Amino acid sequence: MITMKEVWKTYPNGVMAINGIDILINKGEFVYVVGPSGAGKSTFIKMMYREEKPTRGDIIIDGQNLAKVKERQIPYIRRNIGVVFQDFKLLPQLTVYENVAFAMEVIEESKDKIRKRVMEVLDIVKLKNKARFQPHELSGGEQQRVAIARAIVNNPAVLIADEPTGNLDPDTSLEIMYLLEDINERGTTVVMATHNKEIVNTMRRRVIAIEGGRVARDEVRGEYGYER
Amino acid sequence: MKGRTLGRHLKEGGKNLVRNGWMTFASVSAVAVMLFVVGAFVLMIMNVNHFASALEDDVEVRVFIDLTAGEEEQEELLNELEELAGVEEIAFVPKDEGLDSLIASLGDQGDIFETLRDENPLNDVYVVHAENPEETEQIANEAEELANVDGVEYGQDIFEQLFTVTNFVRNAGFVLILGLMFTAMFLIANTIKLTILARKREIQIMKLVGATNGFIRWPFFIEGLLLGVIGSTIPIGILSYAYVRFYDTFGQQTGIEYFQFLPQNPLILQMGALLIAIGAFVGVWGSMMSVRKFLKV
């Protein structure tokens, strides 16, 4: 599903963020990406949805080489990759329903199809009854669930979550984790960057630790391994 | 692109105009002022051109044939004239015809010349038209050198002044219009930049969920187009009204043959179409300029 071969990334300002990473993530896997701040974790994640382009090497997701695709193909690549952020990135003036529908409007789906599918994912994230609310009327956990609904509404093969629980309290974080597991069980590959030691150590999954732009550790049912 | 998507883009573009109230107002005003000046110049230049071409059409070289020249020599001269560079047309005016028109042009007083019928003192004339009025002088000079030519006449003085004035008006108008166009364009670019800054987050999210650049660009394209077109309607209205009034008052009564103003129709339609086109172009260009940078995410 996700293959990285000899991936290097040096930013124009000279910062060497990723220094030779080889990795294979299979379809349907759930992977934590951990590591200290500034170790290249963020770049690693950004390269997966082609926010950053590797300087060298190949990143193949679902048969597409992200290192080689042309600029104008990026939108089509992104439609197969859902992304969730720490700060939710919802549009404040739109309702919950509209925020989720937005991702389908952009790819020019029909109104009927949009309505049906949006209600379906709102059901998955258990926000069907809040479809008409605006983001500021929701709690942080609920907002993140809207963001997740938006990320999966187009049935992506991969869901990338960059610190999805970073702004949430432990109980809410757990709620989000159950949701991500649920989505993972429906067949979506999930890659999640996190600083949350408790979650990684309780919900044991594969852990990839990145330090100094390299894979320092890759364990099947690993633990967080850092103090904080 | 699908129909409903176009509908969405139109709605979004229109919404932006309202959302940016004051900046919209500023840009529309800038476009309106710019196009007002452009339009006024267009009306002026079109009329000046009209005067000039009426004059230019009338510019001709009159080549007087030597009184002693026989038919053969006239024929020879005609051939030589035809070979001069830039000659479009040559008409032969025999001296009798010349006298006729002289008498006619003098009206009642022309009758005195009737006595000259038998002893016509005029020359036979070749009237030469140049392909390009600006070549007239050269043709006249060359014709003067030919054999059997008694003399050459053309409106030397008016001529040079005419070209100086019309060229100046055209060039000055053109430079001014270009300058104003750029000013308006940058104002529109700035307005749309504000729109984009306000919607930077939205654009970022659109890109994340897989919107193509074209999809993102459309609402801004429409916003720019609307800014430009709305801005053009105001000066079109004012200038049309003003020109109609002007023409009603002065149109028919200049009295001088060459200086006829252009009639309001089709001039106003042409001016209107031109202003809308410039407005739309400036609006779209301005908006595309500011969107381009933001799409490189």
Side-chain angles (χ1 to χ4, degrees), chain A residues 14-218:
Chain A
V15 173
M16 292 163 70
I18 299 291
N19 306 309
I21 282 188
D22 283 277
I23 222 158
L24 177 71
I25 296 171
N26 288 315
K27 188 169 166 53
E29 261 194 282
F30 192 118
V31 180
Y32 293 118
V33 179
V34 302
S37 308
K41 196 172 37 154
S42 193
T43 305
F44 178 81
I45 288 286
K46 278 181 178 164
M47 286 194 300
M48 280 193 188
Y49 57 94
R50 191 47 179 77
E51 174 88 30
E52 293 294 346
K53 189 181 179 171
T55 322
R56 204 135 59 76
D58 296 316
I59 301 173
I60 298 152
I61 296 188
D62 216 7
Q64 293 267 18
N65 192 339
L66 265 54
K68 300 242 160 65
V69 294
K70 293 208 177 67
E71 203 66 32
R72 64 191 162 72
Q73 286 174 311
I74 296 174
Y76 304 97
I77 300 276
R78 296 240 174 102
R79 293 174 188 185
N80 199 28
I81 302 169
V83 193
V84 177
F85 299 92
Q86 180 170 3
D87 60 354
F88 323 134
K89 293 204 195 297
L90 299 176
L91 291 169
Q93 72 276 23
L94 302 184
T95 64
V96 167
Y97 177 90
E98 288 166 337
N99 262 293
V100 180
F102 188 69
M104 290 182 84
E105 273 170 25
V106 154
I107 64 170
E108 303 189 45
E109 286 287 9
S110 74
K111 271 235 154 61
D112 290 341
K113 225 172 158 185
I114 292 179
R115 193 172 305 127
K116 192 163 160 280
R117 176 63 183 158
V118 172
M119 290 322 278
E120 222 173 274
V121 287
L122 284 182
D123 193 32
I124 294 175
V125 301
K126 303 195 175 58
L127 281 174
K128 223 173 167 177
N129 55 338
K130 296 201 167 167
R132 287 171 191 283
F133 284 48
Q134 288 199 308
H136 66 89
E137 297 170 303
L138 304 178
S139 71
E142 286 169 331
Q143 288 188 47
Q144 190 60 294
R145 272 146 59 195
V146 177
I148 292 172
R150 184 182 63 198
I152 61 169
V153 75
N154 288 325
N155 282 315
V158 181
L159 178 65
I160 292 166
D162 194 358
E163 304 272 359
T165 61
N167 279 349
L168 305 175
D169 60 62
D171 286 347
T172 319
S173 297
L174 215 57
E175 206 178 275
I176 294 296
M177 288 313 296
Y178 289 138
L179 179 57
L180 290 179
E181 275 200 320
D182 180 25
I183 290 164
N184 178 238
E185 270 157 27
R186 288 166 196 259
T188 309
T189 310
V190 177
V191 179
M192 170 175 158
T194 186
H195 273 130
N196 196 320
K197 183 181 176 184
E198 287 71 30
I199 285 176
V200 177
N201 288 345
T202 30
M203 302 175 79
R204 288 291 176 109
R205 297 288 191 164
R206 177 172 171 191
V207 174
I208 296 172
I210 294 181
E211 283 173 45
R214 294 174 160 278
V215 175
R217 196 152 50 87
D218 185 353

Side-chain angles (χ1 to χ4, degrees), chain B residues 151-216:
Chain B
V152 167
E153 225 176 50
Y154 71 103
Q156 287 95 329
D157 297 345
I158 317 181
F159 215 51
E160 275 160 26
Q161 286 175 11
L162 178 75
F163 284 125
T164 330
V165 172
T166 52
N167 280 339
F168 176 76
V169 172
R170 281 177 207 164
N171 293 342
F174 190 65
V175 169
L176 195 70
I177 288 170
L178 267 186
L180 285 164
M181 264 177 70
F182 273 102
T183 317
M185 218 176 59
F186 280 109
L187 270 160
I188 290 189
N190 262 322
T191 309
I192 297 210
K193 211 178 278 171
L194 283 185
T195 318
I196 294 177
L197 277 176
R199 301 182 63 200
K200 208 175 157 189
R201 202 180 156 81
E202 191 175 337
I203 292 179
Q204 193 194 7
I205 294 169
M206 284 169 102
K207 297 210 74 161
L208 281 175
V209 296
T212 57
N213 284 350
F215 186 93
I216 296 171

